[in-house]
Amino acid sequence: MKKFLKILFFIFLSLLILLAGGVGYLTLTEYKPADVEKITLAGRSEEKFSLNREYKVLDWNIGFAGLDKDEDFFMDGGTNSLPIDKAHVENNLEKIKNLTIKENPDLVFFQEVDENSKRSFGINQVDYFNKNLQGTAAFAYNYKVKYVPYPFPPLGKINSGIYTNSKYSLENSTRYQLPVPFSYPVRVANLKRAFTASYAKIEGSDKNLVLINVHFEAYDSDNEGKLAQTKKVFEFLEQEYAKGNYIILGADFNQALNDITEEELNSIPENLWRPKKFDLEGLSKNFKLYYDKTKPTARLLNQAYNKNNKGTYTYTIDGFIVSNNVKVKSVQTIDEDFQNSDHNPVVLKFELENQAR
């Protein structure tokens, strides 16, 4: 009996040392970005935006090309932590690229783009889009961890973030760190979300077009993370508006943009992810939220997708915030039926108005 207890003790001690070593390694290698960081732009374009001309921007959380219709995800109540295989990721990536090229947007806001991650089989998706989409691009990390040790099989190395592409010249781009709602030690293997602000000159104007790309917190249980992040973004919007700039923000808000009813909310089991209503209280009259009220933009990954299956839940959580000196012509969700991502792309058409204020 003593020998058995001794063996158990040494097993427990070994596991404890292994755990402490893992936490220590993640602590030493933790991604600690500065509050404000300049982004190195990729590609080049000489053409500038113009006043009173129609443009198109496409916003899409591509789910690292690993969350197609066949997938589920453990954080949403599913069982999988990694995509089925590399072929799924490659196929999704190609389909996402093809749809984007077909839509021919002037601007692209992508979220959840992997640079070199286990979950997307090491494919450099940033480089892939830089090569296949014309124009100037800015990429910033939201998730940069040497090894995420959970669940099983573990997520492993993740390098992922937000990607902005413009057919027109971008002067510069900056990454702004958002509040992190997680405490140590959970923080060391978690997301460090940010927003990027990319600046473009406008022909015939001394003001800039400011392009903001953001992916708000998803799994903060009390919603305090999203509220703190939203507050910081709203403050930045006002600062740029005070300069007279034109502003377009594209986002996965991870909050319900539509008027979701209590009945609709309660139809989702309590143990599954539910979106909180997006709080517009801090958004001034200088800005307006735009989204397509007719189609959902995201699905829950509690199971593989089938539109007609019980347990399939969809939300409207993707869209735009636009300053009132930008004339919005239309906003439309492209119904891809979640074939290659757990989100559908949203397209907004706009003009930069020549107006004094």
Side-chain angles (χ1 to χ4, degrees):
M1 185 66 176
K2 287 184 178 180
K3 185 177 180 181
F4 176 71
L5 291 175
K6 191 174 182 180
I7 292 171
L8 280 181
F9 171 76
F10 279 113
I11 290 173
F12 174 76
L13 184 63
S14 299
L15 290 173
L16 194 63
I17 292 170
L18 187 64
L19 177 62
V23 172
Y25 171 73
L26 290 174
T27 301
L28 289 172
T29 61
E30 182 183 3
Y31 176 49
K32 295 179 179 179
D35 287 342
V36 180
E37 292 183 345
K38 288 294 181 183
I39 297 170
T40 301
L41 297 173
R44 186 172 178 81
S45 173
E46 300 297 334
E47 194 171 356
K48 294 180 181 178
F49 286 92
S50 301
L51 296 171
N52 303 314
R53 175 182 165 186
E54 185 173 288
Y55 297 100
K56 179 195 287 191
V57 52
L58 182 147
D59 177 73
W60 197 358
N61 181 337
I62 68 166
F64 59 90
L67 298 175
D68 59 60
K69 63 180 175 57
D70 299 325
E71 306 285 354
D72 62 46
F73 187 58
F74 75 102
M75 291 292 286
D76 278 3
T79 58
N80 292 328
S81 57
L82 300 172
I84 293 169
D85 55 33
K86 187 176 183 180
H88 268 73
V89 175
E90 291 173 331
N91 176 66
N92 293 330
L93 196 59
E94 183 179 8
K95 295 290 178 57
I96 290 165
K97 178 257 295 181
N98 289 345
L99 181 139
T100 304
I101 291 173
K102 178 184 175 184
E103 284 297 317
N104 193 28
D106 302 289
L107 296 164
V108 171
F109 295 137
F110 283 157
Q111 298 91 37
E112 284 197 63
V113 179
D114 278 8
E115 188 181 51
N116 180 14
S117 304
K118 177 183 176 181
R119 65 185 185 179
S120 49
F121 300 90
I123 299 169
N124 190 329
Q125 298 176 354
V126 177
D127 186 54
Y128 179 85
F129 288 125
N130 285 343
K131 289 177 179 176
N132 285 282
L133 302 180
Q134 298 176 357
T136 310
F139 173 77
Y141 292 115
N142 262 350
Y143 205 0
K144 188 175 174 63
V145 182
K146 293 289 186 182
Y147 191 86
V148 180
Y150 57 84
F152 186 82
L155 290 166
K157 179 172 67 173
I158 294 182
N159 297 293
S160 186
I162 47 181
Y163 176 89
T164 301
N165 184 285
S166 171
K167 286 186 178 179
Y168 298 84
S169 176
L170 295 180
E171 295 299 305
N172 57 76
S173 186
T174 303
R175 180 192 189 277
Y176 293 90
Q177 179 61 44
L178 290 170
V180 179
F182 306 105
S183 302
Y184 184 85
V186 174
R187 185 195 70 228
V188 298
N190 223 309
L191 290 99
K192 306 288 170 58
R193 295 183 190 267
F195 69 89
T196 58
S198 303
Y199 293 78
K201 289 191 177 300
I202 303 168
E203 195 103 34
S205 174
D206 62 349
K207 306 305 179 185
N208 291 315
L209 172 59
V210 186
L211 307 167
I212 299 172
N213 190 348
V214 60
H215 184 187
F216 289 100
E217 206 62 60
Y219 300 110
D220 52 330
S221 57
D222 56 6
N223 210 47
E224 291 301 312
K226 281 189 274 290
L227 292 175
Q229 292 170 358
T230 301
K231 182 176 184 291
K232 183 166 183 175
V233 170
F234 283 1
E235 289 172 353
F236 184 83
L237 292 177
E238 292 298 337
Q239 291 168 13
E240 289 301 319
Y241 186 81
K243 300 174 186 176
N245 288 331
Y246 300 78
I247 303 155
I248 297 175
L249 177 150
D252 173 355
F253 291 92
N254 269 320
Q255 296 157 92
L257 306 184
N258 57 331
D259 293 323
I260 188 168
T261 66
E262 284 296 320
E263 184 180 355
E264 289 171 325
L265 198 61
N266 290 331
S267 70
I268 306 166
E270 288 187 10
N271 63 314
L272 299 180
W273 188 82
R274 295 175 167 189
K276 300 283 188 179
K277 175 68 179 171
F278 185 42
D279 187 358
L280 289 170
E281 185 178 345
L283 190 67
S284 78
K285 63 181 180 180
N286 301 323
F287 296 89
K288 186 175 178 181
L289 174 68
Y290 290 91
Y291 63 95
D292 185 345
K293 299 178 181 180
T294 67
K295 303 181 189 74
T297 67
R299 75 166 179 102
L300 193 66
L301 287 156
N302 58 313
Q303 60 185 26
Y305 178 70
N306 186 316
K307 183 185 293 187
N308 301 314
N309 273 7
K310 184 179 179 182
T312 295
Y313 304 103
T314 59
Y315 314 117
T316 301
I317 60 175
D318 304 87
F320 301 89
I321 292 176
V322 181
S323 57
N324 63 13
N325 51 352
V326 177
K327 183 179 180 180
V328 172
K329 309 291 285 293
S330 66
V331 59
Q332 179 184 11
T333 298
I334 301 171
D335 188 2
E336 282 295 289
D337 203 28
F338 309 111
Q339 294 301 294
N340 303 110
S341 171
D342 59 323
H343 289 249
N344 284 325
V346 187
V347 169
L348 181 129
K349 294 181 180 179
F350 67 94
E351 289 182 8
L352 306 175
E353 292 190 312
N354 187 5
Q355 61 179 30
R357 56 178 172 83

